[in-house]
Amino acid sequence: MMGKEEDILSSDQIKKLLLIAVPALVVVLVVTVFLFNRHNTVDLEGPVGEIAANETNSEAWAHYYPAHWDSYQANYANVEKPSHFDTKPYLKTIYAGFGFAQEYNEPRGHVYTIEDILAIDPARKKAGASCFTCKSTQVPETIEKYGAQYYLMTFDDLKDEIVEPIGCLDCHDPKTMKLRLSRPALIDALQRQGRDLDSITNQEMRSLVCAQCHVTYYFEPETKEITFPWDKGIKADQILAYYDEEGFSEWVHPDAGTGLVKPRHAEYETFMNSTHQSAGVACADCHMPYTRIGNKKISSHTWQSPLNNIEESCTTCHRNGTDWLTERVETIQAQVIQSQDLAGNAVVDAINELKVSSAAPQVDQAKLKEAQRLHREAQWYLDFVAVTNGYGFHNPTETINNLSMAIDSAHKSVLLAREARGLE
Amino acid sequence: MSSKLKWLGLFALAGFAMMLMTKIPALGLAEAEFCGVCHAMDEQVSTYLHSPHANYANCGDCHDPHGLVTGSVFAAYTGARDLYRVVTNTIPLEIRTTGLSKKVIQENCMRCHGDIMSTIGDTSYDRGSYCFHCHHEIVHEK
């Protein structure tokens, strides 16, 4: 029998059989592995349904992302608008002659941007339509509609047209939900830095979407276009050097006679190179922590101090207990406030001395000018800290360093102003 | 076919079959009792046994790919590597996850916790953070 079978299957037939059997076996193996592995893959939900490409009304997104919408709605709970002057009375003196001296309240956050800006003192609206740039999801399309003319329009020109507050479209692509940049000023600044916008990682985007607005900026004198003064770097000293080189001043202090520049909420610039940022943490990691909603987790869209939800924000990484963590933050902030008040009073001293010296009949003009330059520097460093949220927690060492610079320059300014009018 | 090739083929087949054996639960080759045989793993085993994960997952559930072929090949490789380190007394002073192992662990985090993470997605996507960058203390407390 055996011999007969060997006869039936000649070596040619064996070859043919192998030619069929081997590929068939391979196919079976591949299919088995595929089927075995298939039930292990994690099914992640993609975006549900279609949202129009330019949907500025955030409520239209709410249907697809109800949990996110709820956390966004929670922002309405923030109703206080405390005045900066109550906690930092010296600011009123240093802003003299500028719109900010009339009124300077803390805003109530993203959902109230339109309401809050309409209620603001008219002295603050002189910059015109540009003020809307960080207030509404409609701004990118408005800029597209009017072009460069947008920045030259008056506040009243656009106040009926722009009605939606900050919302989904400002940071998200409606099709993919991926983070995206919608504000020209940041895109331009990054391009001037030589950044390739397509190679930015998602983790960096979780800070950069915030940096579209939570940064300092200025209105380019001729075009009134909002511009980030980042070409020499993003730190306080580098930004001041940029303004000095441009010879840029926003206003002249009526008492001190000093040409001044005003920093605005420089949270991003301050946070960069901080301990947290160096460790790879993004704004959203603390301010939009992953929060359990039912059987899902979402990035919280209730923007607030991480101290309000320390369990989600801090204890994910720091296992030292909420009491210890709160005490650490409060200690850092109390120390910053103490130094900030010292710096604030020192700058006021400088202004008072400059006022007397400016009026003195035989003043040394060169020394007075140098004293004014020192005042400009001192006020810049103080203001950079004072108007940035977080009382220095975004970068404690750098904040204290900026305040030291402010105190030193203010003291030098006082001495020189006195010297200029003949006092030793 | 020469007999040498035959033997080589048989050897490869037997080797592969032995690799697959690492995935047979009854043998316990992915259990802490087995991994802890080497004293180098004492710290990892004791921290694991004290963690809630000990009730639901063994070493291999987190440290080996879940697939039959991928998992067994990976386990055979890491097992052989660790054995070599022990025999030659070249155990690292500090035992840390490396390269591919991080991806394997991340996959396994998402395999069990994918449901709750479905809205957020895989945090390691686009050079993001692995789950255990923040939740590093969960099992081995370091």
Side-chain angles (χ1 to χ4, degrees), chain A residues 18 29 33 36-37 39-46 65 68 178 199-203 280 285 290-292 294-299 315-319, chain B residues 1 16 23 66-71 107 109-123 125-129 131 133-138:
Chain A
L18 280 176
L29 192 74
V33 170
F36 188 86
N37 280 330
H39 82 279
N40 297 323
T41 51
V42 183
D43 282 326
L44 295 175
E45 276 175 22
Y65 298 94
H68 293 83
K178 280 184 78 170
S199 70
I200 294 175
T201 63
N202 189 50
Q203 181 66 359
D285 283 315
Y290 293 135
T291 308
R292 190 185 276 262
N295 66 344
K296 295 269 189 293
K297 268 188 176 183
I298 62 158
S299 273
T315 59
T316 313
C317 295
H318 299 285
R319 306 294 286 180
Chain B
M1 213 187 282
F16 186 63
K23 277 283 178 185
H66 196 56
L68 174 66
V69 176
T70 48
E107 273 288 298
C109 294
M110 297 300 285
R111 186 164 60 83
C112 294
H113 301 285
D115 201 22
I116 194 152
M117 292 295 289
S118 60
T119 315
I120 292 165
D122 185 347
T123 50
Y125 169 74
D126 195 8
R127 283 179 274 165
S129 299
C131 298
H133 273 164
C134 295
H135 302 284
H136 51 84
E137 79 304 327
I138 276 183

Side-chain angles (χ1 to χ4, degrees), chain A residues 131-326:
Chain A
C131 297
F132 281 113
T133 306
C134 270
K135 307 296 178 203
S136 172
T137 50
Q138 294 167 273
V139 168
E141 66 175 27
T142 311
I143 293 177
E144 208 164 292
K145 184 174 162 192
Y146 296 107
Q149 188 59 29
Y150 162 82
Y151 296 104
L152 298 167
M153 294 167 97
T154 69
F155 187 84
D156 290 337
D157 285 343
L158 285 177
K159 78 172 196 297
D160 298 324
E161 201 171 319
I162 292 180
V163 293
E164 296 288 348
I166 292 295
C168 314
L169 189 65
D170 287 309
C171 304
H172 290 283
D173 181 313
K175 292 274 176 262
T176 62
M177 279 310 128
K178 280 184 78 170
L179 294 174
R180 61 158 199 171
L181 303 180
S182 58
R183 293 302 188 275
L186 177 63
I187 295 169
D188 291 349
L190 291 173
Q191 279 170 345
R192 288 200 305 275
Q193 286 177 350
R195 290 292 305 270
D196 173 14
L197 297 184
D198 296 326
S199 70
I200 294 175
T201 63
N202 189 50
Q203 181 66 359
E204 193 179 353
M205 284 299 279
R206 296 175 76 241
S207 288
L208 281 178
V209 289
C210 312
Q212 299 186 99
C213 294
H214 289 264
V215 289
T216 192
Y217 60 87
Y218 74 111
F219 302 107
E220 210 280 320
E222 274 158 39
T223 61
K224 297 284 172 223
E225 196 172 322
I226 287 180
T227 310
F228 293 178
W230 288 2
D231 291 4
K232 284 180 175 293
I234 64 164
K235 291 302 178 184
D237 55 331
Q238 295 164 323
I239 296 175
L240 184 62
Y242 171 88
Y243 286 143
D244 287 346
E245 194 178 279
E246 301 268 304
F248 178 75
S249 292
E250 280 184 86
W251 87 104
V252 175
H253 196 283
D255 296 331
T258 312
L260 295 163
V261 269
K262 167 114 190 64
R264 272 96 174 167
H265 39 71
E267 281 96 35
Y268 174 78
E269 295 93 323
T270 302
F271 178 59
M272 290 305 280
N273 296 339
S274 66
T275 307
H276 279 98
Q277 194 271 333
S278 304
V281 174
C283 304
D285 283 315
C286 305
H287 289 287
M288 306 178 66
Y290 293 135
T291 308
R292 190 185 276 262
I293 309 284
N295 66 344
K296 295 269 189 293
K297 268 188 176 183
I298 62 158
S299 273
S300 168
H301 281 59
T302 314
W303 298 281
Q304 57 185 337
S305 163
L307 287 176
N308 294 342
N309 47 4
I310 205 161
E311 294 273 1
E312 284 98 1
S313 300
C314 312
T315 59
T316 313
C317 295
H318 299 285
R319 306 294 286 180
N320 319 59
T322 52
D323 291 345
W324 185 87
L325 289 159
T326 310

Side-chain angles (χ1 to χ4, degrees), chain A residues 95-106:
Chain A
Y95 296 147
F98 199 40
F100 280 93
Q102 297 302 311
E103 181 189 76
Y104 196 8
N105 300 332
E106 289 193 35

Side-chain angles (χ1 to χ4, degrees), chain B residues 62-65 70-71 73-75 77-78 81 96-108 124 130 132:
Chain B
C62 298
H63 290 284
D64 294 332
T70 48
V73 170
F74 187 82
Y77 163 66
T78 52
R81 182 196 61 191
R96 299 194 71 92
T97 53
T98 52
L100 187 57
S101 186
K102 289 183 179 174
K103 291 203 173 75
V104 169
I105 298 170
Q106 177 77 7
E107 273 288 298
N108 284 322
S124 70
Y130 292 111
F132 47 86

